[in-house]
Amino acid sequence: MAEIKDPENTIILETTKGKVVIELLPQVAPEHVARIKELAREKAYDGVVFHRVINDFMAQTGDVKFGKTGGAEFNPARAGMGGSEKPDLKAEFSATSHVRGICSMARSQAPNSANSQFFICLADSPWLNKQYSVWGQVIEGMDNVDKIKKGEPVKDPDSIVSMRVAADV
């Protein structure tokens, strides 16, 4: 098991494929890390599907509006089109490379449109560098991320069972 050095800046993500531990990078994207922790603490990500998973690229999730199974507005056809009720975030682009295991915020074409959706890189994706806000790095469980069902959209998608800040567990 990965050593958790800073429980306040570590996420424990339980998925339908197993556990994933993510080290947060507040020094790289402080506002995005704060948002991820805020939504995790509200249990907003619990039940959210992985709506877009592309082989050798990335696994996307985090639509807490349309992608949350059991949620009032759950709609598999619209998963990936929503976010949280919170305001969008200003971009925090950095020199941190989008390599395998990096967690980064999804957004629309507008740079300052990240909200709740995020993706985990399944492979190095250098064309994303300095265009998306990196907020974490998987330190355990990439084998479980690799098992997440692929598709655009995903039929019968895998989901986040729970997403917690390690300090709260």
Side-chain angles (χ1 to χ4, degrees), residues 39-62:
L39 290 169
R41 285 187 159 127
E42 292 172 0
K43 300 180 170 71
Y45 288 118
D46 295 8
V48 175
V49 298
F50 285 89
H51 64 271
R52 182 172 178 245
V53 185
I54 303 170
N55 202 31
D56 296 323
F57 178 31
M58 60 89 209
Q60 187 171 333
T61 185

Side-chain angles (χ1 to χ4, degrees), residues 47-147:
V48 175
V49 298
F50 285 89
H51 64 271
R52 182 172 178 245
V53 185
I54 303 170
N55 202 31
D56 296 323
F57 178 31
M58 60 89 209
Q60 187 171 333
T61 185
D63 182 345
V64 301
K65 182 173 184 175
F66 299 122
K68 187 176 178 86
T69 55
E73 296 185 73
F74 177 61
N75 183 340
R78 296 196 68 197
M81 297 179 192
S84 73
E85 299 293 321
K86 300 175 189 320
D88 288 348
L89 294 164
K90 187 174 184 325
E92 292 179 299
F93 302 157
S94 69
T96 304
S97 295
H98 283 79
V99 295
R100 177 173 163 78
I102 280 291
C103 303
S104 194
M105 292 303 270
R107 62 172 178 80
S108 70
Q109 295 295 332
N112 300 321
S113 63
N115 186 290
S116 66
Q117 291 189 46
F118 65 91
F119 59 91
I120 302 171
C121 291
L122 300 174
D124 295 359
S125 305
W127 61 91
L128 301 177
N129 292 349
K130 298 182 182 173
Q131 296 185 60
Y132 291 83
S133 299
V134 171
W135 56 265
Q137 167 75 54
V138 173
I139 58 172
E140 178 187 318
M142 268 310 289
D143 56 327
N144 293 324
V145 177
D146 289 336
K147 294 174 193 169

